[in-house]
Amino acid sequence: MKNRCAYIQYMPNKRHARFGVKKFELVDSKTMYVIHIDMYSGKDHLAEEHAPFTQKVVMNLLEQGGCLYKGYHVFTDNFYTKLPLAQLLLDNNTFLTGTVNKNSMDLSKSVLRTVLGPQKSVYFRRGPVLLVGYKQKKPTRKPVYLISTAYHAEDRVIRSRKSGLEAIKPVLIDKYNQLMGGVDCKDKSLYHWSCTRITRRYWKKLFFNLLDMCVSNAYVVYAHQCIPDAPMDRKNFILEVIQSLTSASEPEPIHIPDLGGDGPSHQAEHLPSNLLRVCGVCGKRSNRWYPGCNIGVHNACELLLKHYWRPKYCGRKKKRAPSCSSDSD
């Protein structure tokens, strides 16, 4: 749309809708659950805070979504990723991994000037922040640069899912390719079963988009509650929701298990020495556990534990595969 509005944005990379209302989203990368949404309101958006705009956006999303000080890992693209943001998030017990523009400030010039060959990588560490540069096998591809506060300098042989070919890549880039894209996958899933219609009123477009995200979040919660049984597909789920909302009779109450951390089943209990459980945070043995979460926890790790039901429990701690770290770290 091209309405006369103060917060209408022009984004040339959005080929399907270059004019529209911009919104920032915090989405879980594995389940595509939308945690928090922040609508852009123009030049005065978050103007009360004295910090770079991208840093204010990321910190506001994490703070409003309740994800700070809990050990979460945030993946961002080169629009948000900056070295001061990585330092600030690490001070708030939150990790950051993302691609970074090579023209950004505070980056190592020695890494940027290094001429990389096919499937070659270079590392540089400054305190807790790791900078990696990597070039793919194709000679026409330019090197890509990422920073992270959670991974180590390590190369690994990665097999492609589509072609089946093997390539040497940094572990940091492999994890980024797996976990970066929660927003894009969510938008793709909304596109197939959407209630949005063509209209000249932008507020209707926003309402229908928010309605689609609410249905998507409801399906994520429903699919998680069906574990270990297989849930119904999304189309039938949407039809069931529509039928329950349009029926004249009262809907049957849904019995939801205790998923929060305040119920009586989420109180820590002590175990005997022969029945130790694996801590859900650090992975070590603990003599305390939560029956409602089906996982153990230490006293120091209790505040970092995510309260939800674990359908399966592994009594033995899995051994980590041996890995070889890079000498250029």
Side-chain angles (χ1 to χ4, degrees), residues 231-264:
M232 69 175 71
D233 56 358
R234 188 175 175 183
K235 178 182 177 181
N236 294 329
F237 175 80
I238 295 176
L239 294 177
E240 289 289 339
V241 172
I242 296 174
Q243 185 177 1
S244 62
L245 293 175
T246 56
S247 60
S249 60
E250 293 292 335
E252 298 181 359
I254 301 176
H255 299 283
I256 302 177
D258 186 13
L259 298 178
D262 300 330

Side-chain angles (χ1 to χ4, degrees), residues 267-288:
Q267 302 296 330
E269 297 181 1
H270 289 273
L271 297 173
S273 58
N274 58 343
L275 295 177
L276 300 181
R277 294 294 183 95
V278 176
C279 179
V281 179
C282 64
K284 299 180 181 179
R285 297 281 184 171
S286 174
N287 60 349
R288 299 174 70 252

Side-chain angles (χ1 to χ4, degrees), residues 121 123 125 130 151-156 171 321-329:
S121 59
Y123 297 91
R125 179 176 291 278
L130 176 66
Y151 295 107
H152 301 284
E154 178 184 355
D155 292 340
R156 185 180 300 174
V171 178
S323 59
C324 180
S325 60
S326 177
D327 296 333
S328 58
D329 186 6

